[in-house]
Amino acid sequence: MQYLLLICQDETRADSGPSEGCGTWGDDLAERGVITGGAILHPSTDATTVRLGGQGEVLLSDGPFAETKEQIAGFTLIECADLDEAVKIASTHPGAVAGGSVEIRPVLAGGMNKD
């Protein structure tokens, strides 16, 4: 089953920058084929939020939609047997170890298919 790990960090912390990435955290997972994708994201200050107004007009806002300290700093897509394995993997992520959080979401099978 596929799970998306949303890596969340407090961007106001000095040590939350993406410059070092995850180090060697995913090396073994990648070799085993568990990690199937992922990326580090620019800070939320570079985000653009899209909404549709009442008449269908596109409304753009600078920055994130959510007003919160923790923002999504990156994501990892993993393939594993079950949620227990996903929790074990997420609990070793450097973002979680450094005081951030990792949200785990199961990926809906065929969610983007055009069938």
Side-chain angles (χ1 to χ4, degrees):
M1 177 163 206
Q2 283 191 321
Y3 292 91
L4 180 67
L5 305 182
L6 295 170
I7 316 308
C8 302
Q9 294 181 326
D10 180 350
E11 292 180 334
T12 63
R13 288 180 43 166
D15 63 347
S16 69
S19 59
E20 295 181 28
C22 297
T24 60
W25 171 77
D27 291 350
D28 176 57
L29 297 170
E31 286 177 19
R32 294 185 353 225
V34 173
I35 293 179
T36 60
I40 298 172
L41 303 176
H42 282 266
S44 64
T45 53
D46 292 344
T48 300
T49 300
V50 178
R51 292 188 200 102
L52 294 180
Q55 302 298 318
E57 69 272 17
V58 176
L59 306 172
L60 300 178
S61 301
D62 291 336
F65 176 73
E67 294 295 329
T68 179
K69 278 184 169 180
E70 282 192 346
Q71 300 294 334
I72 299 171
F75 66 93
T76 304
L77 187 61
I78 60 173
E79 179 82 37
C80 51
D82 54 28
L83 180 60
D84 290 337
E85 184 180 0
V87 169
K88 286 179 186 175
I89 291 168
S91 68
T92 64
H93 190 280
V97 173
S101 64
V102 178
E103 181 177 330
I104 304 169
R105 290 209 197 167
V107 175
L108 283 171
M112 295 299 289
N113 287 347
K114 298 180 180 176
D115 297 338

